[in-house]
Amino acid sequence: MSEWLENHLPKIVLAPSFIGVLVFVYGFIAWTAWVSLTRSKLLPRYEIKGFVQYEKLFDSPRWDTAMNNLFIFGTLFIVIAMVLGLLLAIMLDQKIRTEGVIRTIYLYPMALSMIVTGTAWKWILNPGLGIEATVRGWGYENFSFDWVVNPDYAIYTIVLAAVWQSSGFVMALFLAGLRSVDGEIIKAAQVDGIPTWRIYSAIIIPSMAPIFLSAFIVLAHLAIKIFDLVIALTGGGPGYATDLPATYMYAMAFSRGDIGQAASSAMIMMLVVFTIVVPYLYSELRSKNDG
Amino acid sequence: MMADLSLNQSASEANFGKIALRWLLYALLGLFALYYLLPLFVMVTTSLKSLEEIRTGSLVTLPREVTFDAWKTAWSGACTGIQCEGLRPYFWNSVLLAVPAVFLSTLIGALNGYVVAQWKFKGANLIFSLMLFGCFIPFQVVLLPMARMLGLMGIAGTIPGLIFVHVIYGIGFTTLFFRNYYVTIPSELVKAAKVDGANFFRIFWSIFLPLSLPIIVVTVIWQFTQIWNDFLFGVSFSQAGTQPITVALNNIVNSTTGVKEYNVDMAAAIIAALPTLFVYVVAGKYFIRGLTAGSVKG
């Protein structure tokens, strides 16, 4: 008996987590998928009615806004954070004497809650007393910067705050990548008199392709899940101007009492995440098992 | 000095260009440092001003008269809706939530990682892959059933309920951290210990755990930051009185009753950020390792 126990101990130790993941991840996804096919409102109902919720979702102007916003926000956020992160990493890679301090400064926003970030930027961007009022106070009376309360521009303030929060992290990723490039090759190139920018563009950056992919995956994942920053910075407003899929889902689930819509919007979010993450995870796991 | 004098003209020009470039580089780096620091600076100075000074002054000036009233109000008097007890009770909620959740998820992750890395059995890799996959789901997809499940378990709206949720959805990452750490330890070690008669837990306790300090630090920091900063689970699964600090902060800032006290908002935001900022300043190296561990191949 005790030998049997000893032999099966690894399985027994892993079992609770395995069951937990099966139930609370996969079982729950199945539950949500099921409910998204019903006419559930305030309470879940379990008779399948086909894709009515999805039809309603795609007919909803508010969901349309949310998906458009996700596209605008996601694209700008990923591109700007990557470009800025790479730029900062390359600048920091030039044997900067105060590198440690600068790196600490660039990265600290990542330690903050998005609610804190949103609160801070909401204050800075508010037209009455923030940047707009300050610049006007300097004598530029016509200066206008009311993006955070302007339905056409509010989504860009979320990009601004999200980039502020995450670009230091991208910098750290890229910096680690730059440092991992074989020093011998770089030295050889320097001896041959190849200019620094050519060394970066032709040798170092191409060899960092996997890190670009990682950074992209992490940022895309952040973009799709972004919720707290929107809540703290704009509350999804003005109106629904900065609604994103995550805030739409939350509103349907907890304030509108429309479980069917909440479930179907959550399923769409998962679909978006998986189309990006699954190919990546698949190649990761395969290359790890090979190695 | 002598060497400098003997340089010819073109070399000194090239040198000048190099120095100018260097200055430009430092200037740019400094500008970006300002960009990252400015919001923190504005938060701190705003929190130390009186409302009167905020209304008449400018965003970027230092306070004429430093006052800690806003901090006092934020800590023990600010209103989150109808209650006006400040952040203090919610700060302790977050502590009561984070400490057990971090401990449990780290312990479970260590044991899981130990099994997946060193005691492989048929299907262990599949289980690991399934767990890893769970790290990437948008949590929206589990919010509704989890709300019902917590109700069925009788822990809806309680701190133990939130601990449960954070442990469940944290073990994917903690297992990943420990697994990636333990695969670098040669499997001969386990074999030799087995020959010497040590069993599963003995080997874990006496050999692996003492080697694990760095990864424990990374995991604890990662989990603590995640749980302390979480908002989605907190706002979905808590009720008045059990809310974590991020939810309370958001309620204070968006509370519509009375005059808008920006200085209190900023003080409250800093209070909510202090624990994770402290961890970052003290153990930044491990913080960064945690951030990059999941995303950099290795």
Side-chain angles (χ1 to χ4, degrees):
Chain A
M1 179 64 195
S2 97
E3 196 175 325
W4 181 89
L5 191 70
E6 183 63 35
N7 284 336
H8 287 78
L9 214 44
K11 286 177 204 170
I12 295 167
V13 166
L14 204 55
S17 300
F18 179 51
I19 293 165
V21 167
L22 273 190
V23 172
F24 296 107
V25 175
Y26 297 93
F28 277 11
I29 292 173
W31 190 94
T32 306
W34 183 287
V35 166
S36 78
L37 298 172
T38 68
R39 285 191 186 279
S40 302
K41 270 301 224 189
L42 200 56
L43 290 171
R45 302 201 310 213
Y46 297 101
E47 317 87 71
I48 299 258
K49 293 284 189 213
F51 289 93
V52 277
Q53 296 292 354
Y54 293 93
E55 280 163 20
K56 201 173 144 196
L57 193 67
F58 291 124
D59 281 341
S60 150
R62 190 174 170 185
W63 176 255
D64 202 44
T65 311
M67 287 302 270
N68 274 333
N69 279 340
L70 177 62
F71 181 73
I72 296 170
F73 168 76
T75 312
L76 287 175
F77 168 62
I78 293 170
V79 169
I80 297 174
M82 293 256 259
V83 170
L84 192 60
L86 183 63
L87 193 77
L88 293 176
I90 291 177
M91 290 202 300
L92 263 187
D93 195 31
Q94 309 305 315
K95 302 192 175 64
I96 301 299
R97 214 171 302 152
T98 48
E99 188 198 311
V101 179
I102 296 179
R103 226 179 31 205
T104 308
I105 293 172
Y106 288 0
L107 202 63
Y108 86 90
M110 203 64 193
L112 303 179
S113 154
M114 291 259 190
I115 297 289
V116 172
T117 302
T119 304
W121 281 98
K122 186 183 190 173
W123 161 237
I124 294 167
L125 294 170
N126 92 79
L129 293 165
I131 292 180
E132 184 182 286
T134 303
V135 175
R136 283 185 183 177
W138 291 340
Y140 303 93
E141 294 295 338
N142 295 321
F143 179 80
S144 163
F145 188 55
D146 61 350
W147 286 11
V148 76
V149 293
N150 183 330
D152 293 330
Y153 291 101
I155 188 72
Y156 302 112
T157 62
I158 297 174
V159 176
L160 179 68
V163 166
W164 179 79
Q165 170 127 16
S166 315
S167 47
F169 163 60
V170 185
M171 182 269 310
L173 271 184
F174 281 137
L175 196 59
L178 291 174
R179 299 275 155 87
S180 68
V181 176
D182 187 359
E184 291 301 310
I185 300 174
I186 298 169
K187 257 184 220 153
Q190 279 167 339
V191 169
D192 284 352
I194 298 169
T196 313
W197 68 271
R198 277 293 291 166
I199 297 179
Y200 273 104
S201 64
I203 301 172
I204 301 179
I205 292 174
S207 74
M208 296 202 317
I211 298 193
F212 275 90
L213 187 63
S214 296
F216 172 77
I217 296 291
V218 173
L219 291 172
H221 194 237
L222 269 176
I224 297 161
K225 297 214 297 192
I226 199 143
F227 171 71
D228 20 13
L229 185 63
V230 185
I231 295 290
L233 186 57
T234 63
Y240 300 135
T242 51
D243 235 356
L244 280 157
T247 55
Y248 180 92
M249 186 275 164
Y250 184 82
M252 290 301 150
F254 295 99
S255 41
R256 290 286 198 88
D258 195 337
I259 287 180
Q261 280 293 288
S264 59
S265 55
M267 290 308 291
I268 299 289
M269 284 181 70
M270 199 179 73
L271 209 70
V272 177
V273 171
F274 277 16
T275 47
I276 293 171
V277 168
V278 167
Y280 169 75
L281 266 188
Y282 181 72
S283 68
E284 274 287 279
L285 286 169
R286 230 180 44 165
S287 68
K288 257 182 193 150
N289 288 350
D290 289 347
Chain B
M1 269 302 157
M2 287 307 286
D4 275 357
L5 289 176
S6 65
L7 281 175
N8 62 39
Q9 191 64 26
S10 74
S12 80
E13 257 168 28
N15 229 9
F16 175 77
K18 245 184 183 169
I19 292 170
L21 208 65
R22 208 87 197 134
W23 274 103
L24 184 70
L25 189 65
Y26 274 97
L28 274 174
L29 285 169
L31 267 178
F32 276 108
L34 274 183
Y35 163 67
Y36 288 106
L37 282 175
L38 195 71
L40 187 66
F41 171 79
V42 169
M43 280 165 90
V44 173
T45 52
T46 304
S47 75
L48 298 173
K49 290 175 183 173
S50 66
L51 262 189
E52 180 54 34
E53 201 186 328
I54 290 173
R55 282 205 203 87
T56 53
S58 131
L59 193 67
V60 287
T61 50
L62 288 167
R64 279 191 301 270
E65 236 174 289
V66 172
T67 161
F68 287 95
D69 290 351
W71 283 74
K72 258 177 252 160
T73 312
W75 181 244
S76 57
C79 300
T80 57
I82 42 165
Q83 276 161 318
C84 296
E85 308 162 275
L87 275 183
R88 184 171 46 191
Y90 307 99
F91 188 94
W92 294 120
N93 281 349
S94 273
V95 172
L96 286 177
L97 158 69
V99 171
V102 169
F103 175 77
L104 287 174
S105 57
T106 304
L107 181 71
I108 296 172
L111 280 168
N112 286 347
Y114 171 59
V115 170
V116 178
Q118 296 283 345
W119 294 79
K120 283 206 182 109
F121 52 85
K122 212 171 163 225
N125 263 337
L126 177 70
I127 293 177
F128 176 62
S129 305
L130 284 173
M131 291 175 81
L132 199 58
F133 218 66
C135 297
F136 286 95
I137 57 163
F139 289 131
Q140 278 76 13
V141 87
V142 297
L143 280 189
L144 293 166
M146 186 49 107
R148 294 185 73 74
M149 178 65 93
L150 292 175
L152 287 175
M153 293 165 70
I155 49 175
T158 66
I159 289 176
L162 270 179
I163 293 172
F164 177 76
V165 174
H166 279 294
V167 170
I168 287 287
Y169 297 110
I171 50 177
F173 268 109
T174 57
T175 302
L176 172 72
F177 285 167
F178 279 98
R179 181 260 185 200
N180 284 357
Y181 188 77
Y182 287 153
V183 281
T184 61
I185 295 173
S187 56
E188 282 71 28
L189 208 60
V190 171
K191 281 184 198 135
K194 272 205 276 193
V195 171
D196 286 345
N199 65 23
F200 178 85
F201 282 114
R202 181 74 203 280
I203 298 172
F204 178 68
W205 187 256
S206 323
I207 300 178
F208 280 79
L209 219 47
L211 291 171
S212 308
L213 190 65
I215 198 64
I216 291 175
V217 175
V218 168
T219 310
V220 166
I221 290 177
W222 168 270
Q223 280 298 90
F224 177 74
T225 314
Q226 292 294 310
I227 295 169
W228 188 272
N229 288 343
D230 161 72
F231 179 74
L232 182 62
F233 287 149
V235 77
S236 304
F237 303 133
S238 66
Q239 58 194 32
T242 61
Q243 286 145 336
I245 193 160
T246 47
V247 179
L249 169 64
N250 190 52
N251 287 345
I252 287 178
V253 174
N254 291 313
S255 154
T256 43
T257 48
V259 195
K260 195 93 209 70
E261 295 180 288
Y262 295 104
N263 48 1
V264 174
D265 291 355
M266 290 305 118
I270 300 170
I271 291 172
L274 271 181
T276 48
L277 265 186
F278 174 77
V279 168
Y280 172 66
V281 170
V282 172
K285 191 178 80 180
Y286 294 99
F287 178 83
I288 296 164
R289 267 178 61 183
L291 278 178
T292 47
S295 42
V296 179
K297 250 182 161 177

